Amino acid sequence: MLADPLPRTFYQRDPITVARDLLGKTLHRRSRQGLTSGTIVEVEAYLAKGDSACHAFRGPTPRNRTMFGPPGHLYVYSIHARYCLNAVTEQAGIASAVLIRAIEPLAGLAVMRARRGRAKPIDYARGPARLCEACDVTRRLDGWDLTRGRRIWIAAGNLDSEAAGTGDSGFGHSGSGNSLACLGFRTGQSPRIGVTSAQHAPLRFFVDGSPYVSGPRRDHSPR
DNA sequence: ACGGGGATCGGCT
DNA sequence: GCCGATCCCCGTA
C-alpha cells in the first residue's frame, strides 16, 4: 500500500545511497490535528567518518545520541530556535544520517497553513525548519522509529528517479497524485546548505527543477 | 528581486 | 559565553 512505512533495510545502507533513494518518497506525519504528507524533494547526507559537518563528528553527546542508535529512527535536533529532522542510516554504532530539507506538500495543506502562519503555500515545507513546523516535528519525536507507521514514517512515493526507475533499488513505487507524478525526475547534486565546514562535499541531493526545493528559486513567478 | 542583518535558544566548551 | 545542518523582515532599486 502506498503509505506503508519503508522497512528497516531501506535505512541500513550508506547515507548517500539512502539520501538519493529518499527523493520521491513520501513523508507522513499523523498528529492530533490531522495527517500532513508530502513528497521528499531535497535531502542531505551526513557521513559517519571524516565529515566535520556531521553532528556526530566529535563523538556522542546527549543531543546526538539517536544518531548512534539503530537505523530507521528519527533524529531531531534544534538549531536557531527551530527544528530539523533526519533519518538515521547504516547501523547502530555508526552515526550517519540523512537530513530531509524539503517536501512538496500533498495532504494536510489546511493544517500546514494553520501552523505556518502567513507563509505562502510554496514555502510551507521548503527548508528543514519550515518542514518541521508544517508537520509539527519537534524534539519530542527524537528517537522515534520510522518503520512502525505511527506518528511519523516514510513510504514509497509517486516519483521515480531515472536510476530508481530502472528497478535497482527495489524500494520504488509507481503511482500518481502530485505535480511531478509519472514524469520521473532528474536528481540534482550540490554542496550542503548552511554548513560551515566540509563545504565542498557535494552531499545535497534534490529533485531537479522542483519549485519546492529550498535555496534561491529559479522561477520568478509569484506564488 | 535581492542581499544584509537580526532574532532566538539549546547544546557544548 | 559562543555558535549554529535557519528563517524572516526590511532595506534598496
Side-chain angles (χ1 to χ4, degrees):
Chain A
M1 161 169 206
L2 183 61
D4 279 353
L6 295 169
R8 186 94 46 213
T9 50
F10 179 91
Y11 303 97
Q12 247 158 9
R13 302 176 291 168
D14 73 90
I16 294 175
T17 301
V18 175
R20 299 189 70 110
D21 212 359
L22 275 174
L23 294 177
K25 301 295 189 290
T26 51
L27 175 70
H28 304 269
R29 162 72 172 132
R30 193 184 298 284
S31 73
R32 211 151 283 168
Q33 295 102 321
L35 180 71
T36 45
S37 302
T39 305
I40 297 170
V41 295
E42 182 186 359
V43 294
E44 286 175 0
Y46 287 86
L47 313 184
K49 291 184 181 174
D51 184 3
S52 55
C54 180
H55 284 175
F57 184 65
R58 297 183 183 272
T61 68
R63 171 174 75 154
N64 66 21
R65 63 180 229 90
T66 298
M67 287 188 77
F68 288 85
H73 287 246
L74 189 70
Y75 169 49
V76 182
Y77 66 90
S78 72
I79 185 169
H80 293 284
R82 292 178 159 85
Y83 297 101
C84 299
L85 84 167
N86 301 247
V88 176
T89 56
E90 295 184 282
Q91 54 185 279
I94 299 188
S96 61
V98 175
L99 171 71
I100 301 176
R101 287 193 56 90
I103 63 172
E104 172 179 345
L106 290 176
L109 274 289
V111 178
M112 291 186 189
R113 178 171 62 242
R115 291 174 180 153
R116 291 281 295 123
R118 53 198 191 292
K120 289 173 285 195
I122 193 78
D123 292 328
Y124 281 174
R126 192 173 146 270
R130 293 164 171 171
L131 164 56
C132 284
E133 185 173 31
C135 294
D136 189 33
V137 174
T138 69
R139 182 84 188 165
R140 301 192 328 269
L141 287 177
D142 179 58
W144 198 261
D145 189 345
L146 287 169
T147 69
R148 290 162 62 100
R150 308 190 33 129
R151 294 211 193 194
I152 186 166
W153 69 98
I154 299 170
N158 304 318
L159 304 185
D160 287 321
S161 74
E162 293 186 333
T166 63
D168 50 322
S169 103
F171 295 104
H173 184 279
S174 292
S176 61
N178 66 23
S179 67
L180 296 174
C182 300
L183 297 179
F185 62 91
R186 292 178 201 277
T187 299
Q189 185 172 0
S190 80
R192 295 171 293 189
I193 305 281
V195 297
T196 54
S197 64
Q199 292 183 3
H200 99 133
L203 294 174
R204 171 176 176 252
F205 305 95
F206 54 94
V207 173
D208 195 27
S210 169
Y212 297 93
V213 170
S214 72
R217 289 214 317 270
R218 275 194 58 167
D219 183 350
H220 292 246
S221 60
R223 301 278 170 182

